[in-house]
Amino acid sequence: MSNRRNFLKYSGLAAGSLLLPAPMPAAKGCPSVFKKSGKSTMMKLRFRPYELQLRHVFTIANNSRTTTPVMLTEVEFDGIIGYGEASMPPYLGESHKTATEFLSKVDLSSFNDPFELEDIIQYIDSLAAGNYAAKASVDIALHDLIGKILGQPWHKLWGLNPSKTPNTSFTIGMDTPDVVREKVHEADIYKILKVKLGRDNDREMIQTIRSVTDKPICVDVNQGWKDKHMALDMIHWLATQGVVFVEQPMSRLAVDDMAWLTENSPLPTMADEAVQTVYDVLSVHKVYSGINIKLMKCGGMRNAHKMADMAKILGMKVMIGCMTETSCAVSAAAQLSPIADWADLDGNLLISNDIYDGVNVVDGKMTLSQLPGIGIRMKSK
Ligand code: MG
């Protein structure tokens, strides 16, 4: 009921934009982009709010939640529809209200060629500062549209080998030992686990997992450690426990402490909260060993690809991550994953009301579909 109320509330704010009446199937076939007759060759953006239901209460160092608001978008051109999504966990500051306000400003009617992505994305970026998830929702839909027009998935258009996708990690939130053991069993098909640390039971969390599995673990502290010496001691201990890297161990603002920690750490350190867009990559070089790229932080697939290239040029590690998202945004990010050293793309597996089918995890490994664009289709009812 509250979902419906939210939908109606934000529908009102979206006056002037055409909201999706219901999920629509992607257009079949691959009509020519130059064909003018019959169908509109003006690009149209549609969007509607949606609430993701999480399978488990999700707890990290500084909050817990059971739902995530997202915005589902579509860009239609010449009878072909590209899908997109904005995922907006509350700590990032975007919401159904801000995304509705932002997307209501987007007018794609002046562009008559979706291939002019650089110009279109510059225009979208110029509409307002921030709003990275909302921007990503348009960028993803445009990429999906272009891939469908060309009849190719984006990993191919980027020249990436789909057999090089990394194993994806499965995230275990903070919980009681019994629940943690149960979640480890649930994650049976995954070859690598991701564990949230940063409270006062870090060793207990790792020991609980080690009591049931010897799979490699990556650790995400979400800025939870306050002292660099304590952090280094903990990383030395984690290195003896089969941990492969430590993500955002300290505050994103603790630049000098992080540079010291990275220099002395036996494990790679990964920037997440400390790196948002392509403009931040240089500033975390030599402060962290690598970066966690997320479409919702950087504004979409085009910027994510630029960040990955930049990090590689600087000799940094690359990880592709996600928020809790449907298979839409997760599959979009997965198109880039053959470039990554690590993938943390389990956001669609943490929810119970996904409306798309897309990337699959087979034997712990991201397996890209050969569908064009971002590689998804609407789930059949
Ligand atoms: Mg993180």
Side-chain angles (χ1 to χ4, degrees), residues 121-136:
I121 286 169
Q122 265 183 33
Y123 154 74
I124 291 163
D125 203 38
S126 72
L127 291 173
N131 293 284
Y132 288 104
K135 289 172 181 173

Side-chain angles (χ1 to χ4, degrees), residues 91 194 196 220-222 247-248 272-273 292 294 319 344:
Y91 61 89
K194 180 169 175 178
K196 296 288 190 179
D220 189 356
V221 189
N222 292 110
E247 186 178 329
Q248 202 62 57
D272 185 4
E273 287 87 340
N292 185 350
K294 295 177 182 170
M319 174 181 177
D344 179 27

Side-chain angles (χ1 to χ4, degrees), residues 134-312:
K135 289 172 181 173
S137 74
V138 185
D139 167 287
I140 295 168
L142 284 166
H143 279 78
D144 194 36
L145 173 69
I146 287 170
K148 283 172 174 164
I149 292 170
L150 295 173
Q152 298 292 339
W154 267 93
H155 64 269
K156 270 198 178 177
L157 296 173
W158 277 329
L160 303 177
N161 180 346
S163 73
K164 289 190 174 169
T165 55
N167 290 328
T168 188
S169 52
F170 187 84
T171 301
I172 313 265
M174 293 167 166
D175 227 311
T176 60
D178 280 349
V179 175
V180 168
R181 276 190 284 270
E182 185 192 315
K183 285 184 186 170
V184 172
H185 288 306
E186 239 178 68
D188 196 35
I189 65 159
Y190 297 90
K191 304 267 193 272
I192 181 162
L193 301 175
K194 180 169 175 178
V195 180
K196 296 288 190 179
L197 298 185
R199 288 193 170 175
D200 53 7
N201 63 342
D202 290 351
R203 285 176 193 249
E204 184 191 9
M205 275 290 291
I206 298 294
Q207 283 161 344
T208 302
I209 292 166
R210 279 288 165 259
S211 71
V212 282
T213 181
D214 58 2
K215 286 178 187 173
I217 297 173
C218 39
V219 154
D220 189 356
V221 189
N222 292 110
Q223 314 184 76
W225 295 338
K226 306 300 176 204
D227 177 85
K228 67 179 181 182
H229 297 286
M230 170 262 143
L232 186 60
D233 286 349
M234 184 61 88
I235 295 175
H236 274 291
W237 180 74
L238 292 171
T240 69
Q241 300 294 311
V243 169
V244 293
F245 67 77
V246 179
E247 186 178 329
Q248 202 62 57
M250 302 186 69
S251 163
R252 65 188 176 85
L253 303 174
V255 177
D256 292 342
D257 286 353
M258 265 315 307
W260 176 87
L261 191 60
T262 297
E263 200 179 332
N264 291 287
S265 171
L267 298 177
T269 60
M270 300 297 288
D272 185 4
E273 287 87 340
V275 64
Q276 176 151 11
T277 72
V278 67
Y279 302 104
D280 300 324
V281 179
L282 256 188
S283 65
V284 295
H285 180 227
K286 297 191 174 168
V287 179
Y288 297 81
S289 319
I291 59 170
N292 185 350
I293 300 170
K294 295 177 182 170
L295 303 188
M296 298 304 142
K297 288 195 300 185
C298 71
M301 296 169 71
R302 190 165 179 83
N303 283 334
H305 193 271
K306 287 179 182 174
M307 288 177 81
D309 279 348
M310 200 163 164
K312 291 280 175 185

